[in-house]
């Protein structure tokens, strides 16, 4: 037994194992367990902001070039150079906000390189990712064009590491000033007389790391300087996001907030938290999967603790907490390093759902969450490949996000399950953020979240076990359900994925649900995500 495997964890794990041995066999050949749950319709948490389902696209591997942008002369079906299949799928999914151009790339990106005639744009080495030649053919106008096509609001990450306050204030003027200034007129001459009206502006990215290896005091000092001029240029129409911690680094937040000292208005504060995977995506074992899943209580703990810390500086919660990079980061193939191409499996979909469930449960503490990344990088919702990059498939994670659409803009409700309490963070998971050292863990249990708007209620159930089918009896306190329907994403194989040959191997299907007044009964096969939508009164 590892010295880090506490007595409490050991007792829990042994209890789970012996209980499993006593349980009857379920309909799917697994152990079957009955789970009791309750939705408290009278206990509201906060709005499930659609922004919790936001995304992130970087100039990295084939996310932007090849994924989003194939070029106007490509044989791949495109709309003015944007991959048509990606546009169609993303429109259907709905991407509330799209963050760009990085990531680490943001602090090496100079926006002026990406405007004007494409053939005259300079070529640089992408020093962060694979050292490929970046020809800047995808710049501000192209990004805005893509956002408009898919209906996403843009979120720019401005360059602090190798940039300047002037560069950022000029970018804001170029994008948002209506007309008459040289920069606004240049935008018009480049094809956009109408201002872009970009609201969200990140002030650097991961300043504790690739953004310049700052200390929190230095990063906050930069925020004060950059934000002064960004605010002058953009006024109250811009929403400025400061660089928060890696995982739950409370020392970073204290150092940053102490230095900020309320001198410069910061609208948002961003943290990053990746859920490391110790094996290649298609080769997970149940043990490795549980180690990864058990990082999610750590993410939840980080949100609770970082928000509490921010509250001590900002009691009225004027500063929005962002989780603008999250998602599973598995062990990458040798040829994928520098490109971060990663397959999304049934395990990844369950992981996405564990994250989206916890965002609902902590809806009052969050402002925006952006999964990394949109196409072909890390936990992407689309993958493109095949001869000449022709194919475009929706990953299992795409379908997990789809199952959460019914929650958007509803009010999250408190839920209760008979498993370990959601606030029982003690001893679970590894260290904070990327690079944590996960320890052996007991298997995770039923995860759920619920939300309501008027007569509509949505409940999402996640069975993260590979060997247990769950019969869930869920009570509804404070409402009566009239009718309901359910949809499920499920594959018994934790490593199942949507390939270019079998693009619909793992997709959403209708599912049975029994609705009787104050209760809902649903069967969750091992490895499944199900959303029940109800008409309630
Ligand atoms: O998403 C990949 C990288 O992860 C981003 O560029 C960076 O911000 C983070 O370290």
């Amino acid at each position: 037994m590892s010295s880090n495997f506490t007595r409490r964890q050991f007792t829990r794990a042994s209890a789970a194992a012996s209980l499993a041995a006593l349980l009857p066999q379920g309909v799917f050949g697994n152990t079957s367990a009955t789970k009791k749950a309750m939705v408290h319709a009278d206990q509201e948490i906060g709005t499930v902001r659609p922004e919790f389902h936001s995304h992130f696209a970087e100039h990295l591997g084939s996310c932007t070039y090849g994924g989003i942008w194939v070029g106007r002369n490509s044989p791949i079906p495109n709309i003015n150079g944007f991959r048509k299949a990606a546009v169609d799928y993303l429109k259907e999914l709905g991407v509330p906000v799209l963050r760009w151009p990085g990531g680490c790339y943001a602090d090496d990106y100079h926006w002026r390189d990406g405007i004007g005639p494409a053939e005259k744009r300079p070529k640089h080495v992408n020093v962060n990712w694979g050292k490929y030649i970046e020809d800047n053919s995808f710049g501000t106008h192209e990004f805005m064009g893509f956002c408009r096509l898919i209906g996403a609001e843009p979120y720019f990450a401005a360059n602090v590491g190798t940039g300047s306050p002037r560069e950022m204030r000029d970018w804001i003027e170029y994008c948002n000033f209506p007309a008459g200034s040289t920069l606004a007129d240049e935008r018009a001459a480049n094809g956009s007389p109408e201002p872009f009206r970009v609201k969200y502006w990140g002030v650097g990215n991961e300043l504790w790391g690739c953004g310049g290896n700052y200390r929190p005091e230095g990063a906050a000092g930069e925020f004060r300087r950059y934000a002064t001029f960004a605010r002058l240029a953009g006024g109250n129409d811009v929403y400025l996001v400061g660089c928060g911690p890696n995982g739950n680094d409370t020392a970073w937040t204290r150092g940053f907030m102490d230095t900020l000292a309320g001198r410069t208005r910061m609208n948002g504060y961003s943290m990053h938290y990746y859920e490391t995977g110790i094996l290649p995506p298609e080769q997970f074992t149940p043990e490795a999967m549980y180690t990864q899943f058990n990082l999610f209580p750590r993410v939840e703990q980080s949100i609770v603790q970082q928000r509490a810390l921010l509250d001590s500086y900002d009691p009225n919660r004027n500063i929005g907490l962002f989780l603008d990079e999250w998602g599973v980061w598995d062990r990458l193939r040798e040829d994928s390093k520098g490109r971060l191409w990663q397959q999304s499996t049934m395990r990844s979909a369950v992981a996405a759902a564990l994250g989206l469930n916890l965002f609902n449960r902590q809806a009052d503490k969050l402002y925006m969450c952006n999964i990394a990344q949109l196409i072909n990088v890390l936990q992407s919702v689309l993958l493109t490949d095949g001869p000449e990059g022709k194919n475009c498939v929706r990953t299992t994670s795409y379908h997990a996000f789809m199952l959460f659409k019914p929650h958007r803009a509803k009010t999250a409700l408190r839920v209760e399950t008979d498993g370990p309490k959601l606030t029982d963070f003690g001893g679970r998971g590894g260290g904070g953020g990327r690079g944590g050292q996960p320890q052996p863990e007991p298997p995770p249990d039923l995860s759920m979240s619920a939300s309501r708007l008027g007569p509509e209620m949505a409940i999402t159930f996640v069975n993260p076990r590979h060997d247990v089918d769950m019969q869930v009896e869920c009570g509804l306190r404070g409402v009566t359900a009239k009718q309901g329907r359910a949809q499920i994403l499920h594959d018994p194989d934790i490593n199942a994925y949507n390939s270019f040959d079998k693009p619909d191997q793992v997709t959403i299907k209708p599912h049975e649900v029994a609705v009787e007044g104050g209760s809902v009964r649903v069967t969750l096969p091992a490895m499944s995500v199900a959303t029940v939508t109800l008409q309630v009164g």
Side-chain angles (χ1 to χ4, degrees), residues 50-328:
E51 289 83 354
F52 297 171
H53 302 172
S54 294
H55 292 261
F56 163 40
E58 183 163 6
H59 289 222
L60 195 182
S62 49
C63 182
T64 300
Y65 296 104
I68 295 173
W69 180 250
V70 294
R72 292 187 178 85
N73 301 322
S74 171
I76 297 168
N78 68 85
I79 306 169
N80 294 327
F82 304 107
R83 183 186 285 271
K84 184 174 179 322
V87 170
D88 292 345
Y89 285 144
L90 294 172
K91 265 165 80 172
E92 193 184 347
L93 179 63
V95 175
V97 177
L98 185 59
R99 178 172 179 254
W100 172 85
C104 296
Y105 184 72
D107 284 290
D108 192 37
Y109 180 65
H110 301 280
W111 68 270
R112 288 207 65 92
D113 295 344
I115 57 167
E119 61 285 1
K120 292 201 176 144
R121 297 184 192 175
K123 295 184 173 58
H124 295 296
V125 178
N126 185 329
V127 291
N128 279 289
W129 303 114
K131 306 229 168 4
Y132 72 85
I133 299 297
E134 159 72 54
D135 70 3
N136 281 298
S137 52
F138 191 94
T140 300
H141 288 254
E142 288 76 20
F143 179 66
M144 289 306 306
F146 185 64
C147 284
R148 285 186 179 141
L149 273 178
I150 63 170
E153 174 138 20
Y155 171 11
F156 284 10
N159 181 346
V160 168
T162 63
S164 66
R166 176 176 182 175
E167 201 176 339
M168 183 176 180
R169 65 74 72 209
D170 280 358
W171 203 6
I172 293 173
E173 182 178 324
Y174 182 86
C175 289
N176 291 1
F177 199 69
S181 79
T182 302
L183 284 168
D185 292 349
E186 191 179 1
R187 180 196 67 239
N190 285 334
S192 292
E194 273 296 301
F196 292 138
R197 295 191 187 86
V198 178
K199 174 177 168 186
Y200 295 113
W201 294 84
V203 181
N205 168 76
E206 295 195 352
L207 294 183
W208 38 263
C210 63
N213 281 311
Y214 285 87
R215 295 177 58 81
E217 298 77 13
E222 293 289 46
F223 182 88
R224 287 170 57 154
R225 198 159 78 102
Y226 276 67
T228 301
F229 302 100
R231 185 72 70 199
L232 283 173
N236 288 332
D237 294 338
V238 290
Y239 187 106
L240 302 176
V241 184
C243 176
N246 179 22
N248 193 11
D249 185 345
T250 48
W252 176 275
T253 296
R254 280 203 191 88
F256 192 100
M257 294 305 290
D258 284 343
T259 309
L260 195 65
R263 292 287 304 168
T264 318
R265 187 149 65 89
M266 181 172 76
N267 303 101
Y269 183 66
S270 100
M271 60 189 274
H272 290 177
Y273 204 132
Y274 284 97
E275 292 73 42
T276 324
I278 56 176
L279 291 177
E282 309 90 330
Q283 294 168 26
F284 262 65
T285 59
E287 293 71 30
M289 175 173 81
Y290 293 152
T291 301
Q292 184 170 60
F293 287 173
N294 284 338
L295 286 170
F296 283 93
R298 285 281 178 197
V299 179
E300 194 157 8
Q301 176 188 36
S302 306
I303 290 164
V304 171
Q305 293 183 347
Q306 289 289 329
R307 184 65 259 180
L309 194 46
L310 282 180
D311 288 351
S312 66
Y313 295 89
D314 169 42
N316 296 325
R317 294 198 174 169
N318 292 318
I319 300 172
L321 181 60
F322 282 47
L323 181 63
D324 57 16
E325 288 188 33
W326 72 280
V328 297

